[in-house]
Amino acid sequence: MSNEFTATQLLERVTTSRVAPGNERVRKIADRIVGDLFRAIDELDVQPDEFWAGVDWLARLGSAGQMGLITAGLGFDRLLDIRADEADERAGRLGGTPRAIEGPLYVAGAPLARGESRLDDDGPHPGDVFVMEGRVVDTEGRPVAGAVVDVWHANEHGRYSHFDPEQPAYALRRRIETDDQGRYRFRSFLPPGYAIPPDSPTSELFTALGRHGNRPAHIHFLVAADGQRTLTTQVNIPGDTFIDDDFAFATRDGLVLKLEKNVAAAGYESLGVTGPFTRSRFDFVMQKAVDATEADPQARLARALA
Ligand code: BEZ
Ligand code: FE
């Protein structure tokens, strides 16, 4: 047998050689991606230096922990949401708060509070005191008591605790369990947007693509309750320059907050509010889970690896 191959014969060898069945699904996906890359190298006449510079970039991206920035920035995170929305529509599963990407900056195990919490108690933080409050309800409008609203957002520099060594553990991250009327509320401040780290593998690619790496100001949520489909979403703060130009393509209609300015402090003392503040009311509407997997309270990576 000859060991001299054409590119086509090589691809055939790469995708068919095996000593065991392996995993059929993994094989199918890997073979498809390898085949597409072989074709791209051929059609674009990718040069060896370009190929090896790309491999080096991928290795640096991985060791910088920035894979999740690139999946979002190249649209894959939103693509998965679009596909999930389409599947829901085909199945007639309508209603509920729109899903929005989790992003790569979630950290499990934030402190758990009942009913209400301050997120900003590592402060002081500049800017208006902000309170977000509302209910978790099902698609029939019934309150969901005991739902866990896991909330996280960036600090005033656009950085997230855990990934930023200058912030204490779980700063601006909390889990809030809804009360018997399905209510939650928290005090924090209005965060700015997020920007990809400069001088990083991610920014190298974005510069080469002529793209910016900015996200508009937003707050993330992972809402979970028994029997309900876990909801991953985020809300945007109105007025941000990047609201319709998110580098992660994650802004969604219906998820832009309405802000009430100069609300009187009465009734908010337990959150340490002493003067006029900015408030936003927002209810999370959860769909009924059709199976236990849908009600899995974990975030994306833990679910994928379960
Ligand atoms: C974020 O939510 O902050 C984020 C999302 C995608 C990529 C990077 C950051
Ligand atoms: Fe974020």
Side-chain angles (χ1 to χ4, degrees), residues 160 215 218 220:
Y160 286 81
R215 298 211 61 211
H218 60 278
H220 296 267

Side-chain angles (χ1 to χ4, degrees), residues 68-70 72-73 77 101-105 152 154 158 160 194 196 215 218 220 234 246-248 250:
L69 304 190
I70 289 296
D77 298 23
I101 71 166
E102 180 183 308
L105 303 168
W152 69 105
Y160 286 81
Y194 167 91
I196 55 173
R215 298 211 61 211
H218 60 278
H220 296 267
Q234 44 183 281
D246 179 0
F247 102 99

Side-chain angles (χ1 to χ4, degrees), residues 14-32 304 306:
V14 171
T15 56
T16 57
S17 65
R18 72 182 65 103
V19 293
N23 178 306
E24 199 186 334
R25 178 73 177 157
V26 172
R27 232 177 37 224
K28 196 168 177 179
I29 295 170
D31 289 354
R32 171 61 181 267

Side-chain angles (χ1 to χ4, degrees), residues 71-89:
T71 62
L74 296 184
F76 291 103
D77 298 23
R78 181 66 192 267
L79 171 66
L80 298 179
D81 279 354
I82 290 170
R83 288 178 49 77
D85 288 351
E86 288 173 351
D88 280 354
E89 202 170 324

Side-chain angles (χ1 to χ4, degrees), residues 57-59 61-73 77 104 202 300:
W57 178 80
L58 274 174
L61 185 72
S63 46
Q66 293 184 356
M67 296 290 286
L69 304 190
I70 289 296
T71 62
D77 298 23
T202 302
R300 67 182 191 188

